[in-house]
Amino acid sequence: MTEEMPVINMTATGSNIKTLIKAKGFKVTELQNILGFNTPQSIFKWMRGESIPSIDNLVILAHILNVTIDEIIILN
């Protein structure tokens, strides 16, 4: 019996990150400053589903958005 392993749906997760940021009223530049990024490009890549935040950044993002990591990540 082969159990299917969970896989992160990057597109849905990116869309979810974008929705959560917007719902909490944050601007990308505000998150950029909080996360200590020089540019907002990483955040835009997350929102487009091109990449996923690192574990450290997921923890910070969850704290900032007042959600759990499980509420950020969307699995297939």
Side-chain angles (χ1 to χ4, degrees):
M1 181 171 152
T2 305
E3 183 179 339
E4 191 172 320
M5 292 301 191
V7 177
I8 295 173
N9 182 325
M10 290 184 53
T11 303
T13 298
S15 179
N16 193 39
I17 289 171
K18 185 175 183 177
T19 299
L20 290 167
I21 289 170
K22 188 174 184 178
K24 297 293 181 174
F26 281 102
K27 294 180 181 170
V28 172
T29 52
E30 291 174 312
L31 291 177
Q32 173 191 338
N33 292 329
I34 292 168
L35 293 164
F37 295 163
N38 291 328
T39 68
Q41 295 312 310
S42 293
I43 299 167
F44 286 121
K45 284 183 179 183
W46 299 344
M47 294 188 327
R48 289 191 303 264
E50 294 175 8
S51 67
I52 297 290
S54 68
I55 295 296
D56 290 346
N57 288 329
L58 269 174
V59 170
I60 294 168
L61 196 58
H63 177 75
I64 292 166
L65 299 174
N66 196 30
V67 296
T68 65
I69 292 173
D70 286 347
E71 291 174 285
I72 295 173
I73 297 173
I74 306 296
L75 302 176
N76 279 347

